Amino acid sequence: MHEGVPGMHPRSHRLSRALWSLVLLVCVRPATAKGPDTLDIASAALGETRRVEVSLPASYDWATERRYPVLYLLDGQTHGGHAVASSEFLAAQGQLPELIVVSVHSTVRVRDFTQTDWPEAWIGGGGAAHFTRFLVTELVPRIERDYRTLRTPPFRILAGHSASAQYALHQLATAPAFFHAYLAMAPSLDWDGQLPVRELESALPRADRPARFAYFAYGDDYEQALARDLRLARALAAAAPGTLRAQVRAFPEERHSALPLLALIDGLRALYAGYALPEDLAAKGLAAVDAHYAALSAQLGTPVAAPEAALNEVGYWLLGSERVAEAIAVFERAASENPSSANAWDSLAEALEQGARLDEALRASRRAVELATRFDLPNRASFERNLSRLQEKAAPGAPPRAH
Amino acid sequence: MHEGVPGMHPRSHRLSRALWSLVLLVCVRPATAKGPDTLDIASAALGETRRVEVSLPASYDWATERRYPVLYLLDGQTHGGHAVASSEFLAAQGQLPELIVVSVHSTVRVRDFTQTDWPEAWIGGGGAAHFTRFLVTELVPRIERDYRTLRTPPFRILAGHSASAQYALHQLATAPAFFHAYLAMAPSLDWDGQLPVRELESALPRADRPARFAYFAYGDDYEQALARDLRLARALAAAAPGTLRAQVRAFPEERHSALPLLALIDGLRALYAGYALPEDLAAKGLAAVDAHYAALSAQLGTPVAAPEAALNEVGYWLLGSERVAEAIAVFERAASENPSSANAWDSLAEALEQGARLDEALRASRRAVELATRFDLPNRASFERNLSRLQEKAAPGAPPRAH
């Protein structure tokens, strides 16, 4: 079935965009995600037990062939709720890939997130090296062992706020290989004589760094704090060519502590800019769509195939343009790349039916119903209606075959 | 303990704002909300069973004296996740009161959300009157019977997107008494010759309407759709004086279907503008704070007492200014108005201790620990440390008294 963004399908020209949205939105129903897995990790690196919550994407249970990028969210006890809900919604909208979100709860923040001891501000800082050991040798290996994360190569996003954003920037400056994207929301920059900025000023101009993405957002800072923000923005802009894709965003109406609600949405969208199929690209055909995702892959430094939703758009565009054979080929590819997707098989069935290949359509439709039944998917009733219709067409008046 | 927004407490002048946030943020840990209650309501008005999810605020279990405004969110199957997470986060930040969120799942959207049958666009529209009967006679009475909603008077917020925003505007135009605030996100406006706009154009200029709040957000519309948006904005601006507080917001970079992620955050903030204690108001004392919330109550049309967090801010400001007796009075009021709040009793204990009223401090501190233990609150360990310290101060070297 067609679940795309309103306004992209040729049929939408018959009615206004807003009216089509009336019709289509009933289908855009993300599966309700179950609650997160809660892990209490006995960390040798930290000398304490650390709580972590792992939220899996809506498709995790049924799309058993899929692997996912991972968002490691620091201060997860405060920001996990909105981060999971926002990234899930944006993924359902096709603006992001689905993510596994690992919310790392904090205990003694200033200890873990500062790179030096700086007793004039705090006694007991400088634990960042231990915290890195926790992430790199304990947490991430466990996540990548126990969950279907992207692995060849992996794609790990590190996000933090305030002190934990200071930590994220420290990683970007001093050990950029491990994480691939860094979201720093209102980072604390004044530690130890603005060390977080100085580290980046000296590290980023080096040409031998891996290509990475950095997002930096700041809120209603003024005077000295704003001056530090602008200094950080300059440091990001001074990275060696080709080593850093950076996005800096000011939210002058946001208080420091509330900033991450909007900044995380904005930062994930900036990281995945271009992930949603651009409007009108479906009409340019499959080769143009593949070229788009090849360029996106180069930008992200990780392979991004055309998402199932994008192939679905292209297929329905072709179908609406009476290019049925081409549509069937696109839907066949979508089903072969997403063999557990009930919707991919249902769409293929619709195209095969239009191509008068009724037996194959019945097989594909039956597969859609089987998958939707096995995983109790929200669109199951719609797939069943399509199958009944096909069966009636294949053998009018006959009792429905068991499926 | 002090959980306020960084930068408001006099102690914050000793360190920079950002550094204080390092210290304070570890305390801003909203209790993890449990999952929603799922209700399947057999509706006579709709002739079907309708699913509704009720998400309760973080304090619901322990703040047994509190009652809450209710957000009735249409298309809840799509928008419930981010609406609950965003409103919970903003409430933890003190920008909104805690809300009960009732996510109403949709079935046949165009049937339920359109005020007339308009067969040239859709067969079977015009069911809004039935849907209103469902809300007014079935759903809302059940919610107000089974949950601790605000009741004298109630405060009911109706929010929708696209077709369901069309429905919300229809209610605002034709039956504005029942709901008190209306959030219309990218409403469908072209139904039946722009009837949604025409209804408002004829209704809003009447002077005998109840005072209400309306929020209208639109996305990347252009040409005819944008013209309709602007016509709606003019209709809202033409309301009779004193009958409508309206906020119109354009999100030109947001696609129609994704708009609610940002618009719901923005709309709730617009509705509750002024709810967070304005910066520096604590320094003007309790009378100024009460005057602020009296003005806010008048604007909202519902009583809003100074929230516990605001009283806490004032109390700690007084304490930091060595005005201990006044601080104690403020914390006593906070505890008496929020008798189940462990934090209110813990703060009172701190003030009493500074006032050298050690026996009373011990009683208040013990009450904080009792409540935190009974409800398993995240700050329990901190309250226990405070109690131990007080006990040691009261009887140095003695074994701790049972509590």
Side-chain angles (χ1 to χ4, degrees):
Chain A
M1 64 189 280
H2 185 250
E3 290 193 338
V5 176
M8 302 193 57
H9 189 271
R11 285 187 302 205
S12 67
H13 297 310
R14 293 190 208 147
L15 286 176
S16 79
R17 251 171 127 211
L19 264 186
W20 256 104
S21 71
L22 284 180
V23 178
L24 292 174
L25 278 174
V26 71
C27 307
V28 183
R29 174 185 298 204
T32 304
K34 54 182 175 131
D37 293 349
T38 299
L39 315 178
D40 286 314
I41 299 180
S43 166
L46 295 171
E48 67 184 16
T49 294
R50 187 57 75 96
R51 173 154 292 192
V52 162
E53 292 182 316
V54 182
S55 297
L56 299 173
S59 72
Y60 194 89
D61 281 345
W62 62 260
T64 49
E65 70 281 0
R66 289 191 196 163
R67 292 183 164 275
Y68 304 86
V70 184
L71 169 61
Y72 291 92
L73 177 70
L74 306 180
D75 288 326
Q77 76 286 356
T78 302
H79 299 293
H82 67 83
V84 169
S86 295
S87 58
E88 204 166 71
F89 180 78
L90 291 170
Q93 295 290 325
Q95 297 190 10
L96 306 179
E98 289 185 304
L99 304 175
I100 294 174
V101 180
V102 177
S103 295
V104 183
H105 289 215
S106 296
T107 55
V108 186
R109 302 174 74 246
V110 185
R111 176 197 70 192
D112 292 343
F113 296 146
T114 53
Q115 52 269 69
T116 54
D117 195 13
W118 188 36
E120 77 180 73
W122 185 267
I123 306 294
H130 297 296
F131 191 72
T132 299
R133 208 142 49 79
F134 164 65
L135 291 180
V136 171
T137 70
E138 296 175 337
L139 177 62
V140 174
R142 174 159 170 181
I143 297 296
E144 296 185 353
R145 180 195 72 193
D146 293 347
Y147 296 96
R148 295 200 316 275
T149 63
L150 280 181
R151 268 187 225 172
T152 49
F155 196 77
R156 308 172 185 131
I157 307 161
L158 180 64
H161 171 235
S162 196
S164 62
Q166 171 183 345
Y167 173 80
L169 292 178
H170 171 63
Q171 289 310 103
L172 173 64
T174 61
F178 193 72
F179 292 97
H180 304 83
Y182 298 80
L183 309 186
M185 302 177 285
S188 306
L189 299 177
D190 48 0
W191 190 265
D192 203 353
Q194 300 187 43
L195 183 57
V197 186
R198 289 188 287 116
E199 284 181 338
L200 288 163
E201 285 171 340
S202 87
L204 291 182
R206 296 178 54 114
D208 59 350
R209 294 171 52 86
R212 290 297 180 255
F213 172 82
Y215 175 83
F216 161 45
Y218 58 97
D220 62 352
D221 290 333
Y222 53 93
E223 296 181 357
Q224 289 186 340
L226 182 59
R228 284 191 292 271
D229 294 334
L230 299 177
R231 183 176 169 188
L232 172 58
R234 285 194 300 274
L236 295 172
T243 62
L244 190 70
R245 183 166 65 96
Q247 173 79 58
V248 176
R249 198 85 74 170
F251 290 87
E253 297 183 356
E254 294 300 315
R255 288 191 183 177
H256 179 86
S257 60
L259 179 74
L261 180 61
L262 297 183
L264 196 71
I265 292 168
D266 190 52
L268 288 172
R269 282 171 153 180
L271 170 60
Y272 284 107
Y275 186 82
L277 190 68
E279 295 221 24
D280 303 325
L281 195 59
K284 295 188 179 148
L286 192 56
V289 169
D290 280 334
H292 174 77
Y293 288 99
L296 184 68
S297 302
Q299 173 167 287
L300 282 169
T302 191
V304 180
E308 182 195 343
L311 295 177
N312 212 42
E313 284 300 326
V314 177
Y316 274 100
W317 186 86
L318 290 165
L319 213 53
S321 311
E322 318 280 324
R323 291 157 67 176
V324 179
E326 289 167 88
I328 290 173
V330 170
F331 287 125
E332 278 173 340
R333 171 170 151 192
S336 115
E337 289 178 2
N338 303 277
S340 308
S341 166
N343 195 67
W345 292 101
D346 178 78
S347 296
L348 175 58
E350 187 175 341
L352 288 165
E353 180 188 2
Q354 287 203 28
R357 292 160 63 175
L358 216 53
D359 282 356
E360 291 161 280
L362 268 167
R363 272 200 299 277
S365 181
R366 218 171 277 128
R367 179 103 184 101
V369 170
E370 279 165 14
L371 288 163
T373 304
R374 186 185 326 156
F375 298 109
D376 194 21
L377 299 183
N379 286 322
R380 173 180 162 183
S382 152
F383 301 147
E384 287 174 341
R385 277 194 301 275
N386 291 344
L387 177 57
S388 299
R389 196 177 36 69
L390 275 171
Q391 288 173 328
E392 172 67 18
K393 196 168 177 177
R401 286 167 56 177
H403 56 267
Chain B
M1 65 189 280
H2 185 250
E3 289 193 338
V5 176
M8 303 193 56
H9 190 272
R11 285 186 302 205
S12 67
H13 298 310
R14 294 191 208 146
L15 285 176
S16 79
R17 250 172 127 212
L19 264 186
W20 256 104
S21 71
L22 284 180
V23 178
L24 293 174
L25 277 174
V26 71
C27 307
V28 183
R29 173 185 298 204
T32 304
K34 52 181 177 135
D37 293 350
T38 299
L39 315 178
D40 286 315
I41 298 180
S43 166
L46 295 171
E48 67 184 15
T49 294
R50 187 57 74 95
R51 172 154 293 192
V52 162
E53 291 182 316
V54 182
S55 297
L56 299 173
S59 72
Y60 194 89
D61 281 344
W62 61 262
T64 49
E65 70 281 1
R66 288 191 196 164
R67 293 183 164 274
Y68 304 86
V70 184
L71 169 61
Y72 291 92
L73 177 70
L74 306 180
D75 288 327
Q77 76 286 357
T78 302
H79 298 293
H82 67 83
V84 169
S86 295
S87 58
E88 205 166 71
F89 180 78
L90 291 170
Q93 295 290 325
Q95 297 190 10
L96 306 179
E98 290 186 304
L99 304 175
I100 294 174
V101 180
V102 177
S103 295
V104 183
H105 289 215
S106 296
T107 55
V108 186
R109 302 175 74 247
V110 185
R111 176 197 71 193
D112 292 342
F113 296 145
T114 53
Q115 52 269 68
T116 54
D117 195 13
W118 188 37
E120 78 181 73
W122 186 267
I123 306 295
H130 297 295
F131 191 72
T132 299
R133 208 143 49 79
F134 164 65
L135 291 181
V136 171
T137 70
E138 296 175 338
L139 176 62
V140 174
R142 174 159 170 181
I143 297 296
E144 296 186 353
R145 181 195 71 192
D146 293 347
Y147 296 96
R148 295 200 317 275
T149 63
L150 279 181
R151 269 187 224 172
T152 49
F155 196 77
R156 308 172 185 129
I157 307 161
L158 180 64
H161 171 236
S162 197
S164 61
Q166 171 182 345
Y167 172 80
L169 291 177
H170 172 62
Q171 289 309 104
L172 173 64
T174 60
F178 193 71
F179 292 97
H180 304 84
Y182 299 80
L183 309 186
M185 302 177 285
S188 306
L189 298 177
D190 48 0
W191 190 265
D192 203 354
Q194 300 187 44
L195 183 57
V197 186
R198 289 188 286 116
E199 284 181 337
L200 288 164
E201 285 171 340
S202 88
L204 291 183
R206 295 178 54 115
D208 60 349
R209 293 171 53 86
R212 290 295 180 256
F213 172 82
Y215 175 83
F216 160 45
Y218 58 97
D220 63 352
D221 291 333
Y222 53 93
E223 296 181 357
Q224 290 185 341
L226 182 59
R228 283 190 294 271
D229 294 334
L230 299 177
R231 182 177 168 188
L232 171 58
R234 286 194 300 275
L236 295 172
T243 63
L244 190 70
R245 183 166 65 96
Q247 173 79 57
V248 176
R249 198 86 75 172
F251 290 87
E253 296 183 355
E254 295 300 315
R255 287 191 183 176
H256 179 85
S257 59
L259 178 74
L261 180 60
L262 296 183
L264 196 70
I265 292 168
D266 190 52
L268 288 172
R269 282 172 152 178
L271 170 59
Y272 284 106
Y275 186 82
L277 190 68
E279 295 221 25
D280 302 325
L281 195 59
K284 295 188 180 148
L286 192 56
V289 170
D290 280 333
H292 174 77
Y293 288 99
L296 184 68
S297 302
Q299 174 168 287
L300 282 169
T302 192
V304 180
E308 181 194 344
L311 295 178
N312 212 42
E313 284 300 326
V314 177
Y316 274 101
W317 185 86
L318 290 165
L319 213 53
S321 311
E322 317 280 324
R323 291 157 67 176
V324 180
E326 289 168 88
I328 290 173
V330 170
F331 287 126
E332 278 173 340
R333 171 170 151 192
S336 115
E337 289 178 2
N338 303 277
S340 309
S341 165
N343 196 67
W345 292 101
D346 178 78
S347 296
L348 175 58
E350 188 175 340
L352 288 165
E353 181 189 2
Q354 287 203 29
R357 292 160 62 175
L358 215 53
D359 281 356
E360 291 161 279
L362 268 168
R363 272 201 298 278
S365 181
R366 218 170 278 128
R367 180 102 184 101
V369 170
E370 279 164 14
L371 288 163
T373 304
R374 186 183 328 156
F375 298 110
D376 194 21
L377 299 183
N379 286 323
R380 173 180 162 182
S382 152
F383 301 147
E384 287 173 341
R385 277 194 301 275
N386 291 344
L387 177 57
S388 299
R389 196 177 36 70
L390 275 171
Q391 288 172 328
E392 172 67 18
K393 196 168 177 177
R401 287 168 54 178
H403 56 266

